[in-house]
């Protein structure tokens, strides 16, 4: 049996090799962090070790005192490609996942002010909680779905992907011009406004309309 | 046959999931770019699609006019781990590779001044040329080997890993505190001074003493 044959796209987090994240893709969120509206997508990476699934906790790194949730639509790549035209982009999508882009905001602010990469703020273990895989058919238009997130039953984020500055096909085309996309890659498409800090013992719930929900608890890193 | 069983560490670039790079790890290089000497390692990521092997060209992205070479010792992880103590770090090393951290310096400067992540400057296709795999036994002390790089037969970089600010065991321990290391991961350990721009048709040669050499040509991205 070949390596290829043992891959199941519905468990992309076990073997996928890239998580490409888009920052500031909702104008209202860019404004709440006092950032400029970008003319081109702002991209950063998380490693696959950032994935965490329901049943395991989100861990607050020891070095942050301001860990934020960012609820995002994740796009799972089913067919790889380079320089994919926007018109063909959706053929490369296998499905979706609801994702959190957990962000050490204090560290990110420090990196931004010092001109340093965002790795410590964005790429730590458990910085990418994800839902189950959502087959493409269940979201006919990724540009028109509502995302929400609650902390301890209080609604914090609620937004529609129609508010995105750069659409899913635009992002796939833009990224694949200089980073080849592969089967199992995940693109996080940015967060609507309402990001806020979480603490040990908080419970996060998030969902996409009636399509998926997920629940995570927050714990401290213990070493 | 399991996914695990089909993995061969000497072809880590085909299945490894992370490339973690250390910036400013040689004081003389930090100085040549007018950067402060870091108190903690500066870390950034490349995706596995950045790998390029001898026989294929390094491609200059369309958006840069100042692509730099950075010759670096790469450390290949053989045994994964989290919060690895420095004293055990070398047990997690399977071997090494000679690597280039190709960097769009103009884009990196722009990212630094705007507080943006370094993805466009560091993570593009072919931004991580690598040699063959070097088994651990061939480099008894990774803190005492000489690296060199020539462009069109002119020596540009020559340095010893003894000049590193943070040692290989320190880096493995530091990184694994917040990013779990996995088999097949690669750590790029920073570059000595002498970085410079390359152009289409240039030929790069690099080596580690009498242990390994590699050769790459430079071409333009064609779309
Ligand atoms: Mg980065
Ligand atoms: Mg985000
Ligand atoms: Mg470098």
């Amino acid at each position: 049996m070949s390596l290829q044959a043992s891959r199941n796209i519905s468990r992309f987090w076990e073997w996928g090799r890239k998580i490409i994240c888009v920052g500031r893709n909702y104008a209202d969120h860019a404004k709440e962090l006092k950032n400029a509206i970008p003319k081109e997508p702002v991209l950063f990476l998380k490693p696959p070790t950032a994935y965490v699934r329901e049943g395991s906790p989100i861990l607050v790194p020891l070095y942050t005192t301001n860990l934020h949730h960012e609820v995002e639509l994740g796009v799972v790549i089913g067919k790889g490609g380079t320089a994919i035209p926007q018109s063909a982009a959706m053929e490369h999508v296998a499905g979706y996942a609801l994702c959190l882009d957990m962000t050490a905001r204090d560290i990110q602010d420090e990196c931004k002010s010092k001109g340093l990469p965002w790795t410590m703020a964005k790429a730590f273990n458990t910085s990418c909680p994800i839902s189950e895989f959502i087959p493409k058919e269940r979201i006919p238009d990724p540009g028109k779905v509502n995302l929400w997130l609650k902390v301890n039953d209080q609604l914090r984020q609620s937004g529609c992907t129609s508010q995105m500055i750069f659409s899913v096909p635009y992002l796939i085309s833009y990224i694949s011009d200089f980073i080849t996309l592969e089967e199992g890659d995940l693109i996080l498409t940015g967060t609507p406004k309402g990001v806020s800090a979480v603490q040990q013992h908080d419970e996060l719930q998030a969902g996409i309309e009636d399509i998926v929900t997920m629940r995570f608890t927050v714990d401290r890193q213990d070493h």
Side-chain angles (χ1 to χ4, degrees), chain A:
Chain A
M1 190 166 82
S2 76
L3 211 91
Q4 220 68 21
S6 30
R7 292 177 167 184
N8 178 346
I9 194 68
S10 72
R11 299 184 70 80
F12 67 90
W13 56 83
E14 291 179 350
W15 51 269
R17 301 216 290 175
K18 280 199 292 291
I19 306 173
I20 302 171
C21 307
V22 182
R24 307 181 192 171
N25 200 24
Y26 289 73
D28 57 357
H29 169 64
K31 281 179 203 159
E32 79 179 337
L33 292 186
K34 297 184 173 44
N35 287 314
I37 307 299
K39 293 198 178 62
E40 297 284 8
V42 170
L43 301 178
F44 57 92
L45 302 170
K46 290 180 191 269
T49 38
Y51 284 131
V52 59
R53 302 264 306 136
E54 278 188 290
S56 295
I58 296 166
L59 298 176
V60 184
L62 293 175
Y63 54 72
T64 181
T65 57
N66 196 18
L67 181 65
H68 278 200
H69 56 78
E70 299 189 353
V71 67
E72 315 206 356
L73 179 67
V75 178
V76 180
I77 298 299
K79 187 177 79 175
T82 306
I84 299 167
Q86 277 195 63
S87 58
M90 292 309 295
E91 298 164 24
H92 293 260
V93 174
Y96 304 91
L98 182 61
C99 307
L100 305 184
D101 168 17
M102 299 304 298
T103 303
R105 193 72 68 198
D106 45 354
I107 306 300
Q108 188 194 26
D109 287 344
E110 199 180 319
C111 291
K112 284 159 64 178
S113 71
K114 292 183 177 169
L116 292 175
W118 296 1
T119 313
M120 302 274 296
K122 292 285 199 179
F124 53 88
N125 288 347
T126 78
S127 62
C128 193
I130 50 169
S131 73
E132 64 194 65
F133 175 73
I134 304 163
K136 188 181 188 175
E137 303 72 46
R138 300 213 46 214
I139 299 185
D141 183 357
K144 217 157 66 186
V145 284
N146 292 296
L147 312 174
W148 58 267
L149 179 138
K150 291 179 187 179
V151 179
N152 304 329
D153 284 322
Q154 292 211 311
L155 188 67
R156 294 289 175 86
Q157 293 192 268
S158 174
C160 183
T161 56
S162 62
Q163 301 163 326
M164 283 185 189
I165 298 169
F166 303 107
S167 70
V168 169
Y170 184 94
L171 291 170
I172 288 171
S173 179
Y174 180 86
I175 293 166
S176 69
D177 268 348
F178 71 102
I179 298 180
T180 292
L181 291 173
E182 295 180 310
E183 188 187 357
D185 286 350
L186 180 69
I187 301 173
L188 264 61
T189 57
T191 198
K193 72 166 189 270
V195 302
S196 70
V198 296
Q199 315 289 343
Q200 189 178 20
H201 307 312
D202 280 348
E203 185 181 84
L204 276 60
Q205 287 179 66
I208 303 178
E209 295 175 5
D210 57 350
I211 295 164
V212 76
T213 59
M214 64 183 188
R215 179 189 301 254
F216 285 88
T217 54
V218 179
D219 210 340
R220 292 291 297 178
Q221 190 188 10
D222 65 353
H223 61 266

